[in-house]
Amino acid sequence: MTLPPRLIPLLEQFDFACERLLARLAGPVMDSGNGVDIGVTPLGDDEHLWEPVPDCWSVRPRGDGPGARATVLAGAGDWGRDSADSPHPFPPPFTTIAWRLSHLAEMLTLRADHTCGSRALNRDGYRSPGDAAGAVAAFETASAAWREALLSADDAALDTVGYSTYPNGSDAEDPFVDIVWWVNQEVLHHGAEIALLRDLYRARPS
């Protein structure tokens, strides 16, 4: 299928954001921004779960229970992501790399499924890896699934309100092209946050 012309720049932006984030996480090199490759130390488990300030939200072993101001460890399996019923705590808790990667991977996985899959996946069944390598792999798999969903969209789909039935966003009220734009912003801004956390971890006092 020929891609709708207005989808092409959005897909290119998504690819750029994902490739840059994965390079920042897994290495072995990444583009510094001016065409020069710099070495990258792959994300390790300690850094993945590092809490730079007290009372962070993170991904935790289910047996430990939720962290401060969280009421539940969302998802299934041995690990869960700190969460709370609405209204969420204010000011929002600071979140770890683990939390941010889990959030992105879950969102991409579920949105892909609710666009061109079973339309049945939900947060309660999502499994967050507790280790860094698993979290990076989960994000890579999820971003590939969302990309495949985008490739299935024609011009009519881009204009369709509710083309994605993802239940945890504005998908039921917005044209699909707006959802595609929003997902890009999620990957871009959380990717930048994760990159900054990597810088802070590297510069932390020994």
Side-chain angles (χ1 to χ4, degrees), residues 25-51:
L25 290 167
V29 297
M30 64 165 288
D31 185 338
S32 66
N34 60 5
V36 176
D37 283 342
I38 56 174
V40 173
T41 301
L43 182 72
D45 290 344
D46 287 346
E47 182 180 2
H48 178 236
L49 295 169
W50 178 55
E51 299 191 15

Side-chain angles (χ1 to χ4, degrees), residues 3-204:
L3 288 178
R6 58 194 164 135
L7 179 59
I8 292 172
L10 290 169
L11 184 61
E12 289 175 345
Q13 185 184 60
F14 178 74
D15 286 344
F16 171 81
C18 292
E19 289 166 7
R20 192 161 177 82
L21 177 54
L22 285 167
R24 283 171 165 160
L25 290 167
V29 297
M30 64 165 288
D31 185 338
S32 66
N34 60 5
V36 176
D37 283 342
I38 56 174
V40 173
T41 301
L43 182 72
D45 290 344
D46 287 346
E47 182 180 2
H48 178 236
L49 295 169
W50 178 55
E51 299 191 15
V53 297
D55 298 337
C56 285
W57 275 13
S58 191
V59 172
R60 307 180 189 280
R62 196 161 299 281
D64 290 354
R69 296 199 291 159
T71 58
V72 65
L73 287 175
D78 294 336
W79 293 72
R81 188 176 70 246
D82 282 325
S83 186
D85 295 330
S86 185
H88 290 172
F90 188 85
F94 195 91
T95 55
T96 63
I97 292 176
W99 194 99
R100 294 168 203 242
L101 276 177
S102 172
H103 165 64
L104 283 175
E106 179 207 80
M107 182 265 297
L108 292 168
T109 297
L110 268 60
R111 269 208 164 98
D113 177 71
H114 281 270
T115 300
C116 61
S118 69
R119 299 179 183 257
L121 297 185
N122 58 53
R123 285 180 170 174
D124 290 342
Y126 183 77
R127 293 175 177 265
S128 293
D131 64 300
V136 173
F139 172 75
E140 187 170 16
T141 298
S143 60
W146 176 243
R147 191 180 198 281
E148 284 300 310
L150 296 182
L151 295 179
S152 73
D154 57 15
D155 257 317
L158 292 178
D159 289 326
T160 299
V161 174
Y163 183 74
S164 163
T165 60
Y166 176 70
N168 305 118
S170 63
D171 302 51
E173 292 85 35
D174 292 332
F176 187 58
V177 68
D178 290 357
I179 300 302
V180 176
W181 177 88
W182 174 252
V183 169
N184 283 7
Q185 306 319 301
E186 285 283 282
V187 177
L188 286 162
H189 90 253
H190 285 306
E193 292 166 349
I194 289 167
L196 178 58
L197 280 169
R198 294 220 69 188
D199 287 343
L200 290 171
Y201 184 82
R202 188 179 66 249
R204 74 195 188 287

